[in-house]
Amino acid sequence: MTTDVQVVGQDAGPAPEEVVSGPAGFFHRALENVRSGNLGIFPIVLGFTCIVVFFSFKATNFFTADNFDNVIIQMAGTAMLAYGVVFVLLLGEIDLSISYVAGIGAILVAELQLPGSGHEITGLLAMVVAVVVCALIGGAQGSIVAFVGVPSFVVTLAGFLIWQGVILQVLEQRGTIIIQDRWINYTASYFFSDFAG
């Protein structure tokens, strides 16, 4: 003998939340993120907006083509370093030596193009050599992290101190190094034509 029991009127739990799409869904998700404390890029956008508004009132030439040109030229080196370090950060590691490894590349280019130094080579070749040397330094430090298992913080902090010492040693002996190579100076200040741009 079987007994069929029917439960009538029992609550099946809360109804699933409706997914809102489009701009309303975007703002709904943003509001939920703010409520939960997940601010994402909001502080960065807010800070950047405040900086732009402040300097637009402070300097009359802020929104001119010449100023944008200056900003792009001045941020080019930092942006190139940032591109590389983003991949390291995405892997959950850190690179503290990136500034001085980049400095090693700059000193290498300056030394290799120096007239009368006995190892004078063209600026284009000097830039290629500097990129290869910096890649080898990064590869050596990365190999210590990957194969030996030393934390990247320790390895790159040691690299930071080592390469800082190398730069100080070279500049103490040499002093200011004047870049005279046409290709290096031309590459640093090259502008594409309207068509190529």
Side-chain angles (χ1 to χ4, degrees), residues 98-178:
I98 190 168
S99 56
Y100 283 104
V101 173
I104 288 292
I107 282 193
L108 198 56
V109 169
E111 280 285 334
L112 290 176
Q113 64 82 43
L114 198 62
S117 60
H119 48 257
E120 181 183 354
I121 61 176
T122 64
L124 291 175
L125 185 58
M127 288 187 275
V128 170
V129 168
V131 168
V132 169
V133 168
C134 289
L136 290 173
I137 292 171
Q141 292 182 165
S143 297
I144 294 171
V145 173
F147 298 123
V148 180
V150 180
S152 61
F153 179 85
V154 174
V155 174
T156 58
L157 181 61
F160 174 92
L161 297 171
I162 290 167
W163 302 119
Q164 180 184 25
V166 170
I167 289 173
L168 288 174
Q169 184 69 27
V170 169
L171 289 180
E172 187 178 37
Q173 293 174 357
R174 180 76 67 186
T176 305
I177 303 174
I178 306 297

Side-chain angles (χ1 to χ4, degrees), residues 17-195:
E17 210 176 296
E18 287 186 30
V19 178
V20 184
S21 61
F26 173 76
F27 288 113
H28 177 72
R29 286 190 303 275
L31 184 61
E32 288 301 316
N33 284 339
V34 170
R35 283 183 186 161
S36 66
N38 182 12
L39 299 179
I41 65 167
F42 180 71
I44 297 169
V45 171
L46 182 64
F48 186 70
T49 304
C50 291
I51 290 170
V52 169
V53 169
F54 174 78
F55 282 108
S56 64
F57 284 114
K58 200 74 174 157
T60 56
N61 65 342
F62 185 75
F63 286 113
T64 61
D66 286 338
N67 188 47
F68 284 129
D69 180 50
N70 287 334
V71 168
I72 290 170
I73 288 172
Q74 290 176 16
M75 75 176 200
T78 306
M80 290 305 295
L81 295 177
Y83 283 133
V85 88
V86 160
F87 294 108
V88 176
L89 293 173
L90 287 174
L91 292 171
E93 300 292 343
I94 191 167
D95 187 357
L96 300 174
S97 65
I98 190 168
S99 56
Y100 283 104
V101 173
I104 288 292
I107 282 193
L108 198 56
V109 169
E111 280 285 334
L112 290 176
Q113 64 82 43
L114 198 62
S117 60
H119 48 257
E120 181 183 354
I121 61 176
T122 64
L124 291 175
L125 185 58
M127 288 187 275
V128 170
V129 168
V131 168
V132 169
V133 168
C134 289
L136 290 173
I137 292 171
Q141 292 182 165
S143 297
I144 294 171
V145 173
F147 298 123
V148 180
V150 180
S152 61
F153 179 85
V154 174
V155 174
T156 58
L157 181 61
F160 174 92
L161 297 171
I162 290 167
W163 302 119
Q164 180 184 25
V166 170
I167 289 173
L168 288 174
Q169 184 69 27
V170 169
L171 289 180
E172 187 178 37
Q173 293 174 357
R174 180 76 67 186
T176 305
I177 303 174
I178 306 297
I179 304 289
Q180 298 178 8
D181 186 84
R182 184 178 78 86
W183 284 106
I184 296 172
N185 293 328
Y186 184 66
T187 304
S189 61
Y190 178 77
F191 288 95
F192 286 103
S193 66
D194 292 341
F195 179 75

